[in-house]
Amino acid sequence: MTKKIYIIAEIGNTHDGSLGLAKKFIEVAADCGADAVKFQMHIFDEESLPNAPNPPYFKSESREQYFKRTSFSDIEWKSLKKYAEKYNLDFLNSPFSIVAVDRLKKLGIKAIKVPSGEVTNIPLLERISKLFNKVYLSTGMSSWIEINNAIKVIKKNKKINLTLMQCTSMYPCDLKYSGINVITEFKEKYKNLNIGFSDHTNGISAPIAAVMEGAVVIEKHITLSKDMYGSDAKNSMEPHEFKNLVNQIRNIEIIKNSHIDKNKLSKKLVKMKKTFEKSIVAAGNLDKGKIITFEDLAFKKPGNGISAANYKSVIGKKLKKAIKYNDQIKFDNLL
């Protein structure tokens, strides 16, 4: 039985610091059928130097200005967590500093998503391992050695439920770099871990492929509009796209969990078999006493007579009476 795929709507900072907009994102994620929403806790002075460069895909303002302007207070975070729970959504968050980890713990956040850029931040991972029992580890820019090291640190807490997420930190990510093959490698190498896929490609092809490959968690960026301000909006899914992704994943769950027995199903399709399969009929007018040869036979719909599969049982038999062209040949007319 395939697990229910856990779908995370990544909101990140696309709310642009607006509490009302963030709540609207939560409403939309719930309407789309997501299982969880995920935000990011950026505390600029704890995670970056003032001269830290912007990513190449966002140059509209400095990182310092952007993160300080869009950060929420603890009261606002509590409000968002409560609002998500009102819509039966799990509330996840990504910390980018040890201070953020501590704040999220005090806020009662139950699950942490380790961003790809923090995989080598061992002090942060050690703190997460001590404070949280549910962790998602993104691997968007990591080597195998770095992934192994991160897992060892996190799994020092034996109680941790760890999900390892295949990811490629390109925005947007070309399909050829989505790395679906890594999901299989993760499953083989880390048999005791849940395996997921954090997607940065455009469209639904990669996450659908990830589900078929065995990913049990899918994370995808969501936005109200690709025209919204910020670093992520243009590479995110609008609500109608996200809802379609969720619907397609739920359909795949049905497909993967619905096993059929070909023999039993064949018995349920008797009407279809009679409609589409072939019966043995006379290829021409055949006289009484005729010894039937293969050349005397034709095979035509409907399949409610002697099946074409049994044509050898008819050859060599003698007709009790004459039959006309296209008449079905019956066993009771044979000697």
Side-chain angles (χ1 to χ4, degrees):
M1 177 69 73
T2 300
K3 288 184 179 180
K4 181 178 183 290
I5 308 303
Y6 189 75
I7 302 174
I8 303 170
E10 163 68 289
I11 297 168
N13 280 65
T14 312
H15 52 75
D16 204 39
S18 166
L19 186 64
L21 195 55
K23 288 183 176 181
K24 182 62 178 178
F25 268 102
I26 291 171
E27 294 173 17
V28 169
D31 181 65
C32 288
D35 298 296
V37 289
K38 189 181 82 65
F39 289 84
Q40 299 174 5
M41 180 177 280
H42 290 280
I43 308 171
F44 181 81
D45 293 331
E46 297 293 337
E47 67 182 68
S48 296
L49 293 175
N51 62 349
N54 281 34
Y57 51 86
F58 182 64
K59 300 291 186 181
S60 299
E61 60 182 310
S62 71
R63 292 173 74 81
E64 181 174 12
Q65 181 182 356
Y66 181 59
F67 288 142
K68 287 185 176 180
R69 183 176 60 77
T70 59
S71 293
F72 290 129
S73 67
D74 285 354
I75 292 175
E76 290 172 320
W77 280 125
K78 287 180 180 179
S79 173
L80 289 174
K81 179 176 179 290
K82 185 176 181 180
Y83 202 70
E85 291 167 351
K86 172 184 174 182
Y87 283 88
N88 296 314
L89 292 171
D90 292 337
F91 188 81
L92 282 60
N93 210 310
S94 287
F96 291 78
S97 64
I98 292 175
V99 173
V101 173
D102 292 345
R103 278 182 63 185
L104 292 174
K105 179 63 177 179
K106 290 178 181 178
L107 288 167
I109 306 300
K110 300 298 183 184
I112 288 291
K113 167 79 183 301
V114 178
S116 293
E118 303 300 323
V119 172
T120 58
N121 188 348
I122 300 303
L124 180 138
L125 300 183
E126 289 174 340
R127 188 62 143 252
I128 288 173
S129 178
K130 292 177 181 177
L131 297 181
F132 291 91
N133 289 332
K134 190 166 188 179
V135 175
Y136 299 85
L137 177 65
S138 203
T139 60
M141 55 187 81
S142 301
S143 66
W144 282 106
I145 290 176
E146 291 167 340
I147 293 168
N148 287 333
N149 287 341
I151 292 173
K152 287 179 182 178
V153 172
I154 294 172
K155 289 296 286 182
K156 285 180 180 178
N157 177 353
K158 303 299 182 182
K159 296 180 180 180
I160 277 188
N161 180 342
L162 178 60
T163 298
L164 185 63
M165 307 284 284
Q166 160 53 14
C167 175
T168 300
S169 296
M170 297 178 179
Y171 304 88
C173 177
D174 192 294
L175 287 174
K176 66 183 179 182
Y177 293 117
S178 56
I180 301 303
N181 64 293
V182 178
I183 293 172
T184 300
E185 294 177 43
F186 279 171
K187 288 170 61 180
E188 294 173 351
K189 190 175 180 65
Y190 307 110
K191 298 183 184 300
N192 61 331
L193 300 183
N194 302 313
I195 306 301
F197 181 64
S198 182
D199 185 36
H200 295 141
T201 67
N202 289 323
I204 68 172
S205 299
I208 293 299
V211 171
M212 293 303 297
E213 201 70 12
V216 296
V217 177
I218 295 293
E219 180 186 43
K220 188 81 172 178
H221 282 263
I222 189 171
T223 183
L224 303 183
S225 169
K226 294 181 189 293
D227 294 327
M228 292 183 71
Y229 180 80
S231 59
D232 295 324
K234 67 179 180 180
N235 295 318
S236 300
M237 278 188 165
E238 293 184 350
H240 70 281
E241 297 172 309
F242 201 96
K243 180 175 283 190
N244 179 49
L245 172 63
V246 172
N247 289 340
Q248 294 305 317
I249 289 175
R250 298 304 176 220
N251 287 341
I252 290 173
E253 288 173 345
I254 294 172
I255 293 168
K256 293 185 75 173
N257 288 326
S258 301
H259 298 170
I260 66 166
D261 182 307
K262 292 294 285 185
N263 288 332
K264 291 181 180 179
L265 189 61
S266 178
K267 293 177 181 178
K268 291 184 177 182
L269 297 174
V270 171
K271 289 184 179 179
M272 295 295 285
K273 289 171 72 68
K274 288 181 178 179
T275 300
F276 288 100
E277 292 186 355
K278 304 294 179 59
S279 298
I280 301 172
V281 302
N285 294 327
L286 303 178
D287 296 330
K288 178 181 178 180
K290 175 76 169 67
I291 303 299
I292 295 177
T293 65
F294 182 79
E295 288 71 23
D296 296 322
L297 307 179
F299 311 98
K300 299 182 180 182
K301 300 172 186 176
N304 60 349
I306 300 175
S307 171
N310 297 322
Y311 79 96
K312 290 183 180 180
S313 66
V314 174
I315 292 174
K317 298 295 177 65
K318 182 188 292 187
L319 288 174
K320 293 181 181 178
K321 64 178 182 180
I323 60 173
K324 296 179 180 179
Y325 169 68
N326 266 351
D327 281 352
Q328 287 188 351
I329 295 177
K330 309 288 186 183
F331 280 123
D332 58 9
N333 192 32
L334 301 175
L335 291 173

